[in-house]
Amino acid sequence: MPTPHDKLFRAVFSRPANAEGLLRSSLPPSLVRAIDWRQLVRQRRSFVDTASREHHADLLFSAPIGKREVLLYLLLEHKSSADRFTALQVLGYLVAILQDHRKRHKRATHLPLLLPIVVHHDDRALTAPVSLRPLFALDDLPRAVARWLTPLQPDCHFVLDDLALASEADIEARTLSAMAQLSLLFLQHVRHQSPAKALAAIPRWATTVSAVGKTPGGRRRLFTLWSYFLAVTEVHAERLCRAVVEVLGEDAGDSVMSTAEKLIAKGRRQGKAEGKAEGRAKRGAELLLRQLATRFGPPPDAVITRVQTGSSADVDRWAVRILHAQTLDDVFVGG
C-alpha cells in the first residue's frame, strides 16, 4: 500500500514542470545544459516491485541529449534506516527499464542512456554506497586475482540527492516550482516532528504556501499537501486550520478543513468497504464450518481456528475442495 510519502512524491513530481527543477538541481551543470528540457516527458510505468513499494516510489522520464534519448529515473528512498544494498536495488530497476525498452523497440540496435537519481529523506543521511562495486568483497584476495576479477563484476552508479543533508534554506535556495519546493520541505522537515514544531513551520513557509494556492488548481494542490501533513504528524485538523488562518487568511483555512472533511469521508467509505468484506468473510467461514461438520463430523479446534482466521480467498478455495474431498485433510492439503 503506498505510503503518504509515495503519494505526495508521485502526485507532485509526476508533473514534468515540477520534476524538471528537482532533476536540474540534482545534476552537474554540464549535464543540465546538454539535456533538452523542453522535451521532458514522463513514461507512465513503474519498475518498483510490489514487495518494495512500502519504501520506494519511482518515476521515469525521457528527454533528448542531442540525437540520443536519456531515461531519467527518479527513485524516492525513505527507509527509516539506510539500506546498504540500495545500489543493488537500483540495478534491478534499471535492468527492468532496459528490458521493457527492448520489448517496445525490437528493432533498436542500441540501448537508451540511463540516469538514475535516488532522492532520500530521513533523519539521517544515507550511508549506503552509491555504486555496486564496493559491495563485492575483493580486498582479501591475492592482488593479481582481485585485479583480474574486479572488471568482471557488474557495477551501477546512481546520483544521490540526500534531503537529510539539506536544511530548509538549502531547499528554498533551489530553483523549483512553489509546489516542488514545498513538497521537499514537507518530506524532509515535517514528518517525525512534534505537533508544535510541525505547526511552527507554517509561518516560515507562508509565502510558498500562498504561491501554491494562487496557481491554477491551487486548491487541489493544497489538498495534497495538507493530506500529507495530517497523515505524518499528530496535529489535529482544527489546530492546523488555526495556524494557517493566522498567516494566510480564512480562505486558506477553509482548504484545510475541506481536506480534513474529505479525508474523514474517505476513511468512512474505506471502513464501510472493509466492514462489508469482513462480514462476507465471516459468513463464508461459518458456512464452510457447517459444511465440514455435515460431511466429516464436528471439526477439531485447530481446523475451526484455521477457517476463522483464513482469508476470503482461502475460504473460497477450501469450499471448492470440499466438493471432491474424501477426508477432512483433503480440504486443507497444500494450503
Side-chain angles (χ1 to χ4, degrees), residues 135-273:
L135 298 175
F136 294 97
L138 297 166
D139 293 342
D140 56 348
L141 296 176
R143 184 176 301 176
V145 174
R147 187 167 56 247
W148 195 88
L149 283 176
T150 296
L152 298 179
Q153 308 313 303
D155 204 1
C156 168
H157 293 253
F158 62 85
V159 176
L160 176 61
D161 186 354
D162 199 341
L163 298 180
L165 299 175
S167 66
E168 290 184 29
D170 292 332
I171 294 174
E172 290 170 340
R174 295 189 181 193
T175 304
L176 301 166
S177 67
M179 186 64 181
Q181 183 182 101
L182 204 56
S183 298
L184 294 185
L185 288 169
F186 272 45
L187 283 168
Q188 183 57 39
H189 296 289
V190 166
R191 75 171 184 156
H192 300 323
Q193 296 288 357
S194 68
K197 286 187 176 180
L199 286 171
I202 302 302
R204 295 198 303 273
W205 304 339
T207 300
T208 311
V209 174
S210 179
V212 170
K214 293 175 181 177
T215 60
R219 192 175 186 87
R220 174 172 50 80
R221 295 189 174 92
L222 288 175
F223 171 83
T224 300
L225 292 167
W226 301 140
S227 296
Y228 179 80
F229 191 101
L230 293 171
V232 301
T233 70
E234 296 180 358
V235 176
H236 192 277
E238 291 182 355
R239 289 190 66 192
L240 176 59
C241 180
R242 289 198 296 272
V244 170
V245 167
E246 287 181 6
V247 295
L248 296 172
E250 292 291 341
D251 289 343
D254 289 343
S255 73
V256 174
M257 295 312 296
S258 174
T259 299
E261 290 167 0
K262 289 178 181 178
L263 292 176
I264 291 170
K266 182 179 180 181
R268 287 173 177 164
R269 290 195 299 272
Q270 290 176 339
K272 287 180 180 179

Side-chain angles (χ1 to χ4, degrees), residues 38 40 61 75 99-101 105-106 130 143 151 187 272 278 303 305 329:
R38 297 169 300 177
L40 183 69
F61 297 87
L75 183 72
Q99 289 174 333
D100 178 74
H101 186 273
H105 301 84
K106 296 186 183 297
V130 296
R143 184 176 301 176
L187 283 168
K272 287 180 180 179
E278 185 178 343
V303 169
T305 299
D329 289 342

Side-chain angles (χ1 to χ4, degrees), residues 9-321:
F9 186 78
R10 293 186 67 84
V12 175
F13 294 105
S14 60
R15 299 183 68 241
N18 292 326
E20 179 182 338
L22 178 59
L23 291 165
R24 281 176 173 268
S25 63
S26 303
L27 300 175
S30 59
L31 195 53
V32 170
R33 289 192 297 269
I35 294 173
D36 186 351
W37 297 100
R38 297 169 300 177
Q39 299 187 57
L40 183 69
V41 176
R42 179 189 168 198
Q43 306 297 311
R44 297 182 178 276
R45 288 178 298 284
S46 172
F47 296 89
V48 170
D49 54 296
T50 302
S52 299
R53 282 180 185 154
E54 182 182 352
H55 301 299
H56 297 97
D58 66 336
L59 294 166
L60 181 66
F61 297 87
S62 65
I65 295 181
K67 296 182 179 180
R68 298 289 184 187
E69 178 187 39
V70 59
L71 296 179
L72 302 102
Y73 186 57
L74 273 174
L75 183 72
L76 178 70
E77 160 70 80
H78 52 81
K79 291 184 181 178
S80 57
S81 59
D83 183 356
R84 175 168 171 76
F85 294 95
T86 298
L88 180 60
Q89 288 182 311
V90 172
L91 175 63
Y93 302 144
L94 297 183
V95 170
I97 291 170
L98 294 176
Q99 289 174 333
D100 178 74
H101 186 273
R102 287 286 295 122
K103 289 178 182 177
R104 294 184 296 103
H105 301 84
K106 296 186 183 297
R107 296 185 178 182
T109 58
H110 292 82
L111 294 172
L113 301 171
L114 293 174
L115 211 171
I117 301 170
V118 173
V119 181
H120 173 254
H121 69 112
D122 191 26
D123 294 337
R124 298 180 300 277
L126 186 70
T127 57
V130 296
S131 66
L132 192 64
R133 193 63 61 78
L135 298 175
F136 294 97
L138 297 166
D139 293 342
D140 56 348
L141 296 176
R143 184 176 301 176
V145 174
R147 187 167 56 247
W148 195 88
L149 283 176
T150 296
L152 298 179
Q153 308 313 303
D155 204 1
C156 168
H157 293 253
F158 62 85
V159 176
L160 176 61
D161 186 354
D162 199 341
L163 298 180
L165 299 175
S167 66
E168 290 184 29
D170 292 332
I171 294 174
E172 290 170 340
R174 295 189 181 193
T175 304
L176 301 166
S177 67
M179 186 64 181
Q181 183 182 101
L182 204 56
S183 298
L184 294 185
L185 288 169
F186 272 45
L187 283 168
Q188 183 57 39
H189 296 289
V190 166
R191 75 171 184 156
H192 300 323
Q193 296 288 357
S194 68
K197 286 187 176 180
L199 286 171
I202 302 302
R204 295 198 303 273
W205 304 339
T207 300
T208 311
V209 174
S210 179
V212 170
K214 293 175 181 177
T215 60
R219 192 175 186 87
R220 174 172 50 80
R221 295 189 174 92
L222 288 175
F223 171 83
T224 300
L225 292 167
W226 301 140
S227 296
Y228 179 80
F229 191 101
L230 293 171
V232 301
T233 70
E234 296 180 358
V235 176
H236 192 277
E238 291 182 355
R239 289 190 66 192
L240 176 59
C241 180
R242 289 198 296 272
V244 170
V245 167
E246 287 181 6
V247 295
L248 296 172
E250 292 291 341
D251 289 343
D254 289 343
S255 73
V256 174
M257 295 312 296
S258 174
T259 299
E261 290 167 0
K262 289 178 181 178
L263 292 176
I264 291 170
K266 182 179 180 181
R268 287 173 177 164
R269 290 195 299 272
Q270 290 176 339
K272 287 180 180 179
E274 291 169 359
K276 289 179 180 178
E278 185 178 343
R280 287 195 297 271
K282 184 177 180 180
R283 290 192 295 273
E286 291 173 350
L287 176 59
L288 177 60
L289 288 172
R290 290 198 298 271
Q291 291 172 326
L292 291 171
T294 301
R295 183 80 182 275
F296 305 110
D301 290 344
V303 169
I304 293 174
T305 299
R306 187 172 184 181
V307 171
Q308 289 177 337
T309 58
S311 66
S312 296
D314 291 334
V315 172
D316 290 343
R317 184 170 61 255
W318 297 329
V320 171
R321 287 181 184 172

